[in-house]
Each structure stands twice: as structure tokens, then as C-alpha cells.
């Protein structure tokens, strides 16, 4: 069942090129330069009438929602908010009836996400879900949605479901964009970039040995910071969550520039900062943030593009991943962060597939 892997988590990390292909299969339409879905159950007219979206989820799925926010704003120019389901369910935000709720969930059984969805439905909002488990409560109760087709995720820490959620959100952003002002050319370019993704993820998995080596250097540290900006800010949150849930090390994710508003006080020689710093709009800014950490003696582990020179020259340790379009960086850069967390947890003797105090699906409030 484990197919030669020591843990489900590692097996599922390595399944990602295939689970990402499965998330895209049959959904890219080059003729129309868009993404197509079988089960949205909302026609083009209704979708065009949507004036705002709320994405709701818990935990790792909430992080993919943050990635989705950037994607939908960029491609569809729709205002998006991302809400913790546990907060949304007890809030009563003033919303127009043209606000669409999108629930994101691997299991489809997370009680807070289900309750938030029911509350929005009661108020007449259209409700869609991105879900992995077919026929789950959230899949059944939503008006429509998109399955991840990632296959069963057994490891308690979500890995392949997370990257598939990001992929499906990109498809949805493309679909919504093409119903609005995204041009044919822009649509095609996005499709090209998506089609190149599985291979980029395969190459990102080649960072496994480097991640294991770096894990050996820092496995005894008790505090980590994860820092990134724009598309890579949610990745910082996700990297920190992966580490804390399976290795029980205290880790915090921040937008890199926020660090000087408080967290930089934590920096010392025993507190590594993991920077997610691929090329892109904010590259120079993140490098400046890295320099601030190095100046205070903090070790820096940098996730950079294969061809990177400047960020790697400043970092203490470097993990290289293939360069991809900005909106796909969260998917490619998540891979070495999953691997880093995995190897650190193994070195600390933790039960990576079944971390203490955690359950795979949280069906109680
Ligand atoms: C973390 C993790 C959890 C889940 C969260 C939501 O690795 O797996 O944070 O993401 O409990 O679960 P789903 O996606 O099933 O609603």
C-alpha cells in the first residue's frame, strides 16, 4: 500500500505530479482558451452576475483559499475575501445576494466549513465547493462544485490535496476571467503555463535530498520563521503549519515585510528563517528582507529559482525549484517545504502520518 515509501505523507508528496495532472484532466479547453467544469451548476449568465466571492475553509485548505484570492483577483478582477469557516459561521456580514460562497475542503466533512456553507445558503447565496472526497457532506449540500480527483489522502498533514486545491482555484480563476475581461491570448498563456506545471513539480521533487540535508542541520531548532510575499505569503503560512503539525516545532509564517513590525525580535542564531523567494515582482523587496535577517545573525533557508544568483548569495542554505509563472509559484515552492517538514519530523522521531492531537477530518466544533 505504501508502495515502498516509509510513510503515506512522503508517498503523497511524491504523487503530486500525478494528482495535479488529475486535477486538470479534461478541464483545459484550448479552443475557448478557458477551463471547463462538469458540475458547477451555475450558468455563464449567473456567474457573470457574481459581484464578489467569499472563500471559506479551515487550516491548510484556508491557505489554498488565500492563494485563490490572489488568482481570482488577478484573472477575474473580482473582489475576494477569505474567511476562516469557524469565524464566518458566527458572523453576519452584510452581503449582496450576488456574493458567491466557495467552500474549500479535502474531506468534505469539516464541520465548521459545512456550517458556514449552510449559513450562507440559508441567506440565499449561491454556494460552490472544491472538494476531494466524492459524495461527502459538503459536496452533496453545495449547489455545485469541482472535485480534486487527488485520490485518497491518508497522511493527516495535507499535501497533495493542497496543491490540487491551488490548481483547481487557478482553473476557476481562468474560467471566471474568461467570462469577463480576460483576453483569448491571456487565457491561452495561462493554459500553457498550467500544462507545464506537472513537469515543474516533478523537478521540484528533486529537491528531496537537499531538503533532507538541510533538515539534518536544523532539526534541533525550536523556532522557525517562514517568510514570503504576494503569491508566496500563503506558502509561508502553509510551510509553517506543515512544520508545526508534524514536528511540534514552533513556526510562524508572515508576509516577509511584516517581520520588522515584531517577529524580527525572535531572530537569533538558533532561529532559522525560511524565505520563499522565487523571481517575480517583489523579488528585490524580499531580498532586502533577507538581508535584514542575516544582519541579525539569523540563518536563512531560501527557496529560489533554479537560475537564481542574488538571493542564493545571501542565504545560508538554498533549495532550488523550477521557475514558473507567479500564480503557480505557490504550488512549486510548497514541495520543498513539505519535504523539509517531513524530514525534520522524521529526524525528531515524530509519527508523521498521525501527529499527536490531530485527526484527519475535524467533524466536531
Ligand atoms: C493540515 C490539515 C488541516 C486541514 C483542515 C481542513 O495539514 O490537513 O489543517 O486542512 O482540517 O480540512 P478539510 O480540507 O478536510 O476541510
Amino acid at each position: 500500500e505504501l508502495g515502498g515509501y516509509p510513510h503515506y505523507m512522503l508517498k503523497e508528496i511524491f504523487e503530486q505530479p500525478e494528482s495535479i495532472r488529475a486535477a486538470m484532466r479534461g478541464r483545459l479547453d484550448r479552443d475557448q482558451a478557458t477551463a471547463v467544469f462538469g458540475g458547477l451548476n451555475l450558468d455563464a449568465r449567473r456567474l457573470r452576475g457574481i459581484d464578489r466571492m467569499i472563500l471559506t475553509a479551515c487550516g491548510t485548505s484556508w491557505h489554498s483559499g488565500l492563494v485563490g484570492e490572489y488568482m481570482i483577483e488577478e484573472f477575474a478582477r473580482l473582489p475576494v475575501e477569505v474567511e476562516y469557516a469557524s469565524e464566518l459561521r458566527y458572523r453576519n456580514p452584510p452581503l449582496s445576494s450576488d456574493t458567491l460562497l466557495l467552500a474549500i475542503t479535502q474531506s468534505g466533512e469539516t464541520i465548521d466549513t459545512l456550517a458556514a456553507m449552510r449559513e450562507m445558503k440559508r441567506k440565499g447565496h449561491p454556494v460552490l465547493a472544491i472538494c476531494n472526497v466524492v459524495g461527502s457532506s459538503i459536496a452533496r449540500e453545495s449547489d455545485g462544485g469541482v472535485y480534486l480527483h487527488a485520490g485518497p489522502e491518508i497522511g493527516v498533514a495535507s499535501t497533495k490535496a493542497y496543491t490540487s486545491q491551488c490548481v483547481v482555484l487557478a482553473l476557476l480563476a481562468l474560467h471566471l476571467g474568461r467570462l469577463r475581461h480576460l483576453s483569448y491570448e491571456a487565457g491561452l498563456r495561462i493554459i500553457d503555463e498550467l500544462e507545464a506545471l506537472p513537469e515543474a513539480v516533478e523537478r521540484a521533487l528533486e529537491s528531496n535530498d537537499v531538503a533532507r540535508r538541510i533538515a539534518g542541520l536544523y532539526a534541533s531548532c525550536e523556532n522557525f520563521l517562514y517568510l514570503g510575499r504576494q503569491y508566496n505569503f500563503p506558502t509561508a503560512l502553509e510551510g509553517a503549519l506543515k512544520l508545526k503539525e508534524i514536528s511540534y516545532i514552533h513556526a510562524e509564517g508572515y508576509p516577509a515585510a511584516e517581520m520588522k513590525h515584531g517577529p524580527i525580535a525572535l531572530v537569533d542564531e538558533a532561529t532559522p528563517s525560511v524565505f520563499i523567494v522565487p523571481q517575480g515582482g517583489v523579488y528585490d523587496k524580499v531580498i532586502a528582507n533577507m538581508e535584514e535577517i542575516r544582519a541579525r545573525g539569523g540563518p536563512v533557508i531560501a527557496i529560489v529559482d533554479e537560475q537564481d544568483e542574488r538571493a542564493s548569495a545571501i542565504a545560508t542554505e538554498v533549495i532550488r525549484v523550477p521557475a514558473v509563472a507567479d500564480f503557480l509559484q505557490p504550488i512549486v515552492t510548497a514541495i520543498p517545504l513539505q519535504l523539509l517538514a517531513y524530514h525534520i519530523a522524521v529526524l525528531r522521531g515524530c509519527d508523521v502520518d498521525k501527529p499527536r492531537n490531530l485527526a484527519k477530518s475535524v467533524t466536531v466544533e
Side-chain angles (χ1 to χ4, degrees):
E1 226 184 14
L2 276 164
Y5 288 98
H7 299 98
Y8 282 107
M9 184 178 175
L10 192 63
K11 174 173 179 264
E12 288 160 5
I13 290 172
F14 274 86
E15 277 170 4
Q16 287 175 108
E18 192 40 49
S19 51
I20 286 169
R21 280 189 193 100
M24 292 195 279
R25 193 162 295 135
R27 289 174 171 161
L28 293 176
D29 178 345
R30 295 195 75 89
D31 277 353
Q32 305 295 323
T34 190
V36 289
F37 306 99
L40 285 189
N41 301 335
L42 296 177
D43 63 20
R45 226 173 112 232
R46 184 82 180 90
L47 283 175
R48 249 181 239 116
I50 297 300
D51 61 9
R52 185 175 177 191
M53 282 176 75
I54 298 201
L55 275 44
T56 200
C58 304
T60 284
S61 298
W62 183 80
H63 295 156
S64 75
L66 291 178
V67 173
E69 175 180 24
Y70 287 93
M71 290 170 169
I72 294 166
E73 287 183 356
E74 182 178 344
F75 297 158
R77 309 289 308 144
L78 261 172
V80 178
E81 268 159 275
V82 189
E83 286 270 5
Y84 285 113
S86 55
E87 289 296 307
L88 181 62
R89 65 180 290 191
Y90 295 117
R91 264 184 69 189
N92 197 8
L95 297 169
S96 80
S97 57
D98 290 327
T99 300
L100 171 78
L101 180 81
L102 176 62
I104 308 169
T105 171
Q106 189 285 128
S107 63
E109 302 296 345
T110 303
I111 196 68
D112 282 325
T113 310
L114 181 60
M117 193 180 99
R118 285 180 177 153
E119 187 62 20
M120 292 287 284
K121 242 182 119 173
R122 152 192 303 280
K123 291 173 180 154
H125 299 285
V127 169
L128 295 179
I130 293 177
C131 210
N132 194 34
V133 177
V134 175
S136 56
S137 304
I138 291 172
R140 279 186 280 112
E141 289 192 29
S142 54
D143 297 318
V146 187
Y147 281 119
L148 301 177
H149 299 308
E153 191 180 64
I154 313 278
V156 162
S158 185
T159 52
K160 63 176 179 172
Y162 173 72
T163 48
S164 288
Q165 286 165 350
C166 293
V167 169
V168 166
L169 284 159
L171 298 179
L172 209 56
L174 169 60
H175 184 82
L176 293 169
R178 289 288 290 138
L179 292 175
R180 291 180 164 74
H181 28 243
L182 197 71
S183 71
Y184 182 84
E185 259 100 41
L188 266 192
R189 198 194 60 235
I190 291 166
I191 290 181
D192 287 340
E193 289 162 344
L194 281 162
E195 283 181 334
L197 178 65
E199 209 198 302
V201 169
E202 256 156 38
R203 295 214 327 263
L205 285 165
E206 290 169 13
S207 65
N208 189 35
D209 289 339
V210 180
R212 191 190 298 116
R213 181 184 63 76
I214 297 173
L217 300 173
Y218 297 101
S220 60
C221 294
E222 290 307 329
N223 295 287
F224 275 70
L225 290 174
Y226 283 74
L227 302 161
R229 295 177 81 155
Q230 301 290 306
Y231 272 113
N232 297 300
F233 159 53
T235 316
L237 297 180
E238 175 58 8
L241 180 61
K242 283 296 86 99
L243 185 71
K244 74 186 117 179
E245 66 182 330
I246 62 169
S247 74
Y248 320 141
I249 294 173
H250 170 238
E252 294 195 49
Y254 276 97
E258 270 297 302
M259 134 212 113
K260 47 188 170 302
H261 302 287
I264 199 162
L266 295 170
V267 170
D268 62 18
E269 273 137 43
T271 305
S273 295
V274 180
F275 271 86
I276 302 110
V277 57
Q279 301 277 345
V282 287
Y283 179 72
D284 289 340
K285 305 279 178 192
V286 186
I287 288 186
N289 299 143
M290 282 173 67
E291 277 166 337
E292 290 163 42
I293 298 273
R294 292 296 294 127
R296 286 157 184 84
V300 166
I301 302 165
I303 315 295
V304 301
D305 284 348
E306 270 163 359
Q307 307 299 326
D308 182 87
E309 288 174 11
R310 285 176 47 219
S312 357
I314 300 163
T316 327
E317 303 295 336
V318 174
I319 305 183
R320 295 186 183 272
V321 292
V324 291
D326 283 29
F327 76 101
L328 296 175
Q329 285 171 353
I331 298 168
V332 171
T333 55
I335 309 286
L337 299 186
Q338 295 167 349
L339 290 166
L340 186 66
Y342 170 80
H343 290 298
I344 290 177
V346 168
L347 286 168
R348 289 170 73 104
C350 299
D351 185 351
V352 283
D353 282 339
K354 282 197 174 47
R356 69 185 184 201
N357 311 339
L358 290 172
K360 183 62 184 164
S361 82
V362 184
T363 53
V364 289
E365 198 176 341

